[in-house]
Structure formats: structure tokens, C-alpha cells
Amino acid sequence: VYPLDLNASEAQQATISSLKSLPSTFKLVFGFISDNFPMMGYRRKSYMLLGWFVTSLSMLALLFFSDLSKEAMELNNSGDIEDYADRRVQFANAKDLSTTSFGTPPTIPFLSFSLLLFGTGFWLADVMGDSIVAEKAKLEPEFSRGHLQSTCYACRFFGLMIAAPCSTVIYSTYGPKAVVVLMAALPASIVPLIYVLKETKNVPVASTNEQCAEIYQTVCSRAVWQPMGFVYLYNVLQVGNAAWKQFLKTVLGFTSNQLNALLIAAYVLLWLGIMAYKKFFINWSWRSVYITTTLLNGIFSALQILLIKGITFGLSPFIFALGDDAFADFIGGIQFLPTTIMMVHLCPSGSEGASYAMFTTMSNSAYTLASAFSTLLLGVWDVSKEVMERGELTGMVNLTALTTCIQVSGVLFVGLLPRTKDDLSNLHADPMSGSKIGGFIFLFVTFSSVLYSLVVGVLNIIKPGWAGES
């Protein structure tokens, strides 16, 4: 919610959100480098250490080159005096403070760059962790395939679930500075654990040409490009309403604490979705999981229209919004594991790092592209802050209805998805399932999506409103 407190526009909010995850689209690069160029003899540990170092460095830069105090944030949002120096004097006098006791909060471009750098380090370390899990998951017995991944991701999202309320309390009590201090310190605390991580040193490494040939051979298999085609199409259609947070704050008057509470609920329900799949749905066919959860998600997304119109059936707007958002994240948790389990099954032995990173790159680039599309849709109807303040919400209703229909349309492609792990294995074993055209399209779409999302994200930062949004 910090960008909201800095009065970021809808386009800037959407872009900041996408920039944090944009480095995830380069996971293939991270995985390929770690597979081909071990650092200090290690393929995983050294790069994981580098990733966490970059995350700490990015937050330290934010701390040293801007003022993250509550006073600086309040100054940024106070008064009608256009001249910043005069406004600073007026604010200091009103608070009985010295003008030297606080500085200038970060600009939106600087905050965006810091979060982009943080995301780069985070995803570099994440790729190393994923590579280790993929290698170990390949060793599981056939009857228990997927349990290791589900356990690892359950632990991961449990950590997010705990961190969310803690960060909310810290943000509301001490301001953004305390949160950023923790974001700089916690990655450094992982270093001792990385040191004791067991990894074989100086393992034989295939040449770069062999790695490239293996990756291309992998993507040419129908067992890869067909199900991954579904994953891409489905994810790229998950276009959200980029003006939703602005609506919650401007029209419904949600506070920063309430917006953070929605985030907490999202992490809790996401973890519960992971656990629900592990306990109850792991033996369901993948098609059944996607069809059921997509239709349910469409129903709950459509309920947001009722909230915009003020129809909450006697519930407070906050509770109603909490139910909508929370259930959507619960569904997202259920959908998450089938995709990752399928990706591990597609990885050829010996190149888990690059291949698993390649599959997740395609998936994440689709999400990033969906986020870029959501920003472009802001220009279809006027959903600016000023229009919302006037009570004109027709654009919000139309935008919500459109994004809901787009999201549900992903179910039309479910026929591309194998029903079970056995169907995927049979498809993989078919010697006639290869297609160079399919492999080329797979790589072309992946890298084109990465490039497009990068260009749109940068334009939204350096030239806000270029696509017609507010």
C-alpha cells in the first residue's frame, strides 16, 4: 500500500506491482547461467547467496537515498501549496518539528527501480531453490510424485502468511522505514543457512551448445508445448481490474490497514488452497481441477459488481470485499500445484535448472503480460480517481464485467491439458509427438511476451498515461 500512500496513479500502481515480479520472466536466464557457469565450484549455493545480497542492497539504497519516515509521507500528502519548500515549512510548523528532521520520500521511478532490483535478487535466489526441489522431486517414487513439491510450497506460503500480518502491524505502527529495514536485514540472515546447504562441488557441466540443444529438443516435444500452451493461454487471460485498489480506497474509504488485511487474507487462503490440493485434490484430474476452480472464480469475481453498486446483503463493504478476494486466492492456491507438478515431470534429467526455469518463465511471462493488458484496459472506460470521487462508477462496473469474462474464457482451452500424470507420460513417450514448429512457437511466444511486458512496464513508469489510463 506504500505506493497508494505516495499518491501513485492507477497506471503507476499496476506497473510497480508488475515490476516487482518482472524479473521472474528471466528465470530461464538465471537457470541457464547457473547450469553452465558454476560460481566458486557451486551451481546453486553461490548464486543463491548473490541473489539475497542484491535484495539487501536494493533496500539499503532505498533507506539511504530517500526518507521513508511517516513524517515524510504525511508531508507528501499534505497541504495545497505547490512549492515543496514552502509546504515543508508549513508542515514542520504544524507538527512542531524542525525542517531538517525529515526529508523527501522516494519518487515513484526510484521506488520502482528499487523494487525491480529487489525482485531480481529474490527471483535469482528463488530459481536456485526451485532447481534443488526439481532435482529432488525427480527422485520421488511414482506413486508419491508431487508430495515433495506440495510440502515445499506449503512451507513457503506459510511463511508468507505469517509475514503478512507482521508487516501490516509494523507498517501501521512504525511506518514504511521499519518494513524496509527488515527487508534489508532478513535476506542477510539467510547466509548461514546457505553456507551449510549441502551441494556437490565441481560437478561435470555440459557445454553451452549441448544445453541449448537439449532445451530446444525438450520444447519441440508435444508433451511440452501442448500443456504449456494451455498454461500460457490460461495465465495470459487472467486479466485483473487494475483500478480495484483505487476504488477500495477512494470510493469505499479503505484504510492502509484494511488494504493490508486483504493481503493477509490472500496469503492465508493461498496457503489453505495449497493444503487443500495436497490433502483432497491431488488425485483429481488436472482438467477437473481447472474447470471447477475457474467457474467458481468467475462467480466470485462477478460479485465485485454488487460491491460497486453497494449491494452487500447487510455485510460491511470490507467484509464483502474480503470474501471476494480471499476466495479468489484460495482457488489460486488449488490451481498452483498441478502446474508446478506438471513442469517437473517435463524436465529432462540433468538439466532441471534451465528446463524448470524455462517452463516457469513462460508461465510468469503470461502473468506479466496479463498485468500489462490490465493497465491498457484502464483506457477503455474512465476509471480515474477523479471520476470515482464524483461517484461515477459505470466504468468500474463495465471494466469488472469485462475482466471477469476474460478470466473465465481460459476454461475454453482446457482440452490442451492432459488429464493426469499418466496421460502426460504417455504423450512424452510417443516418438511421433515432436514438432519443430511447436517448439519454435513456444520459444517465440515466451520471449515476445517478456519483451512486450518489459517495454510496457518501463513506459508506464517514465511516461505515465501513454496508453490513455490515469
Side-chain angles (χ1 to χ4, degrees):
V1 297
Y2 189 44
L4 275 175
D5 289 333
L6 293 178
N7 290 324
S9 67
E10 291 94 332
Q12 288 173 327
Q13 293 167 38
T15 302
I16 289 172
S17 178
S18 64
L19 281 179
K20 287 188 299 182
S21 59
L22 186 60
S24 66
T25 59
F26 299 105
K27 292 176 73 172
L28 172 58
V29 177
F30 299 151
F32 186 77
I33 291 175
S34 69
D35 280 346
N36 284 270
F37 307 102
M39 185 187 300
M40 295 181 291
Y42 294 105
R43 296 193 304 163
R44 313 301 181 202
K45 291 174 61 171
S46 300
Y47 286 102
M48 188 178 291
L49 180 64
L50 176 63
W52 291 126
F53 173 77
V54 171
T55 60
S56 291
L57 184 65
S58 65
M59 293 298 99
L60 287 174
L62 198 58
L63 282 171
F64 286 124
F65 295 105
S66 60
D67 190 345
L68 302 173
S69 65
K70 279 186 171 182
E71 291 78 15
M73 187 169 61
E74 291 175 9
L75 169 62
N76 186 68
N77 298 329
S78 67
D80 298 323
I81 301 177
E82 184 173 349
D83 184 76
Y84 185 82
D86 293 340
R87 182 149 46 100
R88 183 174 179 176
V89 172
Q90 182 191 64
F91 181 82
N93 293 334
K95 295 287 186 178
D96 195 23
L97 297 170
S98 169
T99 55
T100 60
S101 62
F102 50 88
T104 305
T107 62
I108 296 301
F110 180 59
L111 177 64
S112 301
F113 175 76
S114 299
L115 292 176
L116 176 63
L117 193 62
F118 181 90
T120 301
F122 173 84
W123 285 109
L124 176 59
D126 179 78
V127 168
M128 301 306 109
D130 279 346
S131 300
I132 295 172
V133 172
E135 290 168 357
K136 303 301 182 184
K138 297 282 286 185
L139 303 176
E140 283 186 295
E142 187 65 33
F143 67 89
S144 62
R145 285 282 178 93
H147 286 279
L148 175 62
Q149 284 178 277
S150 60
T151 299
C152 289
Y153 282 112
C155 293
R156 175 179 177 174
F157 288 114
F158 180 79
L160 289 173
M161 182 179 68
I162 298 300
C166 292
S167 61
T168 298
V169 173
I170 293 172
Y171 184 90
S172 60
T173 305
Y174 303 103
K177 184 174 183 178
V179 176
V180 174
V181 168
L182 285 175
M183 292 175 68
L186 289 177
S189 68
I190 302 176
V191 172
L193 298 177
I194 298 175
Y195 178 78
V196 300
L197 179 65
K198 292 183 179 181
E199 181 185 356
T200 304
K201 192 174 183 179
N202 296 321
V203 298
V205 177
S207 68
T208 301
N209 288 337
E210 289 174 335
Q211 284 279 343
C212 292
E214 186 173 30
I215 289 174
Y216 185 67
Q217 184 179 2
T218 299
V219 300
C220 286
S221 171
R222 184 183 175 188
V224 172
W225 55 258
Q226 178 176 309
M228 290 307 301
F230 165 77
V231 171
Y232 183 86
L233 290 170
Y234 187 90
N235 289 350
V236 83
L237 290 171
Q238 301 310 298
V239 178
N241 186 341
W244 185 248
K245 282 187 178 179
Q246 190 66 63
F247 166 76
L248 295 178
K249 183 175 182 179
T250 302
V251 179
L252 299 183
F254 280 23
T255 65
S256 296
N257 287 341
Q258 287 177 313
L259 292 175
N260 277 328
L262 293 177
L263 179 63
I264 294 170
Y267 284 136
V268 172
L269 270 294
L270 187 61
W271 178 75
L272 289 176
I274 294 284
M275 296 303 296
Y277 181 82
K278 181 181 179 181
K279 297 293 184 182
F280 305 109
F281 304 111
I282 197 167
N283 293 321
W284 279 36
S285 75
W286 294 335
R287 291 185 184 180
S288 298
V289 169
Y290 267 93
I291 292 173
T292 304
T293 54
T294 300
L295 295 179
L296 287 174
N297 184 58
I299 294 173
F300 276 83
S301 295
L303 289 178
Q304 292 179 344
I305 297 177
L306 297 181
L307 180 59
I308 297 172
K309 292 180 172 292
I311 304 173
T312 60
F313 306 104
L315 299 173
S316 70
F318 175 72
I319 297 297
F320 197 85
L322 186 65
D324 283 348
D325 293 349
F327 194 81
D329 286 288
F330 176 74
I331 291 173
I334 295 175
Q335 291 179 341
F336 178 78
L337 278 177
T339 303
T340 57
I341 292 172
M342 180 180 67
M343 289 177 184
V344 166
H345 275 69
L346 297 175
C347 292
S349 298
S351 60
E352 288 84 0
S355 55
Y356 188 80
M358 176 182 60
F359 300 140
T360 53
T361 292
M362 186 179 194
S363 176
N364 291 326
S365 67
Y367 277 126
T368 305
L369 189 58
S371 178
F373 285 152
S374 69
T375 303
L376 293 176
L377 288 178
L378 291 173
V380 178
W381 294 282
D382 193 347
V383 290
S384 64
K385 180 180 179 181
E386 294 73 21
V387 168
M388 292 186 193
E389 288 174 339
R390 294 198 300 266
E392 300 174 13
L393 302 178
T394 303
M396 275 298 295
V397 172
N398 293 339
L399 184 58
T400 303
L402 176 61
T403 54
T404 298
C405 292
I406 293 175
Q407 290 173 10
V408 175
S409 67
V411 78
L412 299 176
F413 301 97
V414 76
L416 296 173
L417 189 66
R419 292 182 175 85
T420 63
K421 291 177 286 186
D422 292 336
D423 286 352
L424 182 64
S425 298
N426 293 335
L427 194 60
H428 213 323
D430 185 358
M432 303 301 293
S433 67
S435 170
K436 291 184 178 181
I437 296 177
F440 173 79
I441 293 174
F442 177 97
L443 294 175
F444 177 79
V445 170
T446 299
F447 290 110
S448 297
S449 299
V450 171
L451 180 61
Y452 176 80
S453 301
L454 178 63
V455 171
V456 170
V458 172
L459 282 175
N460 281 334
I461 287 296
I462 65 176
K463 192 177 179 181
W466 68 276
E469 68 276 8
S470 301

